[in-house]
């Protein structure tokens, strides 16, 4: 959260930056990001704020297991970050990525697939989308569950 105190024209620019760079007609006119949250989301954030250090510490432990087990699949740029999901990439191996996604889904492991290209004619973006899987990295996962997920990926 935060506040901006400035002249009206500066405030309008700030509003565009925090809303993906969109103007009033929803046309992207400048660089931007999603830097806004609802009051509800802010309230949830405040409610879990004191639990976050322990959650982050546990997610780091899970990240470290993934790194030891699946290091060659984890993007170097991701480490040492820690989020709610661990991205892995199969480096243009569409068939292997699809097979691993199927195994994980059959085992009821909830996965995500990010980076859907906006333009399907972009071959590199499409390859990244087709060959990425985001594994769970939630602080409530046990070490055994993380090893189970790793074994599914490696098998």
């Amino acid at each position: 959260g935060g506040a901006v105190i400035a002249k009206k024209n500066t405030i309008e620019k700030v509003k565009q930056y925090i809303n993906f760079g969109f103007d009033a007609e929803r046309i992207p006119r400048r660089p931007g990001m999603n830097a806004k949250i609802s009051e509800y989301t802010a309230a949830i954030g405040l409610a879990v704020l004191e639990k976050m250090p322990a959650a982050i510490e546990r997610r780091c432990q899970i990240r470290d297991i993934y790194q030891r087990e699946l290091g060659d699949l984890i993007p170097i740029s991701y480490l040492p970050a820690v989020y709610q999901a661990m991205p892995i990439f199969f480096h243009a191996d569409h068939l292997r990525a699809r097979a691993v996604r199927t195994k994980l889904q059959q085992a009821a492991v909830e996965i995500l697939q990010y980076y859907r290209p906006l333009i399907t004619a972009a071959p590199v973006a499409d390859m990244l989308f087709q060959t990425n899987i985001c594994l769970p990295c939630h602080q409530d996962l046990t070490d055994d569950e993380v090893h189970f997920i790793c074994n599914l990926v490696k098998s």
Side-chain angles (χ1 to χ4, degrees), residues 4 9-19:
V4 176
N9 65 338
T10 302
I11 295 293
E12 292 307 313
K13 288 178 184 176
V14 169
K15 285 181 182 179
Q16 283 182 287
Y17 282 118
I18 67 172
N19 192 30

Side-chain angles (χ1 to χ4, degrees), residues 68-87:
R68 281 192 304 275
E69 299 281 330
L70 307 172
D72 59 325
L73 299 174
I74 300 169
I76 293 171
S77 61
Y78 184 81
L79 300 170
V82 64
Y83 301 103
Q84 78 282 358
M86 171 61 70

Side-chain angles (χ1 to χ4, degrees), residues 114-135:
Y114 291 138
Y115 317 114
R116 177 178 293 277
L118 296 175
I119 302 170
T120 56
V124 173
D126 187 58
M127 182 273 300
L128 290 172
F129 172 68
Q130 295 297 329
T131 62
N132 87 79
I133 300 172
C134 290
L135 304 173

